[in-house]
Every structure is written in C-alpha cells, then in structure tokens.
Amino acid sequence: TDAPLLVGLEGRPPVMFRTMAGEWINNIEVTHALNNFALSQFTLHQQQTGDLRMQVARPHPPLEPVRQALLDIFGPGQPLNIEAVEEFAGKTVQYTSDLEST
C-alpha cells in the first residue's frame, strides 16, 4: 500500500519517580493522574532532593487542580513547583529525573 509507515521507532524507557513515602512510581501513573486536564504540553522533573518541577505551556487549565492531582499520587507535603511558560523550544522530553530507582 501507499500508506505512510513509521520505521525505526523506539520508545523511551520509563522514568521512575520517588514518592514522599519512598515508593517508586512509573511516569505512566503521572500520565494517568493528569489525563483529565487539557495540558497541551508539559514537563515534569524530579531533582536529586526529591523536589518536583513542572512546566506547563500556555494556554493551560487552572493549575491548582493539576497540583492536587500530583500530590494525590506523590503524597502530601511533596515539594512541587509548577511554572507556566509561553512555549517549549524544540523537542521536549516530558519526564526526567535526577534520581535512580533501585
């Protein structure tokens, strides 16, 4: 057929995040927690300290419900900074972490 075909496509390995309880969760759990929000583009990064930094491109929904959805899976008291940005330049890696799961 003349239909387009993707060749050599490779998925990224999952990113593991540590919760306040010290448990490890897969980035797909974060994706599921954020599915109900109209987020056109975002990134989530966990620093070595465990703190989370999220950047959300405009336009975006109200961010307090997004914050609560993340705290529901990471645990109350999770340090979380959510920042609105105009746009992301180039290819964006959605999930990153400085931590290594064991």
Side-chain angles (χ1 to χ4, degrees), residues 47-61:
Q47 301 169 354
Q48 190 68 38
T49 60
D51 294 11
L52 294 171
R53 179 176 183 231
M54 182 179 207
Q55 292 185 305
V56 180
R58 290 187 173 96
H60 57 73

Side-chain angles (χ1 to χ4, degrees), residues 30 32-39 54 56 60-73 80 82:
V30 177
H32 289 170
L34 298 176
N35 267 349
N36 293 330
F37 303 102
L39 298 170
M54 182 179 207
V56 180
H60 57 73
L63 296 178
E64 194 51 41
V66 172
R67 173 184 301 283
Q68 190 56 56
L70 289 173
L71 294 178
D72 286 348
I73 62 171
L80 170 60
I82 301 179

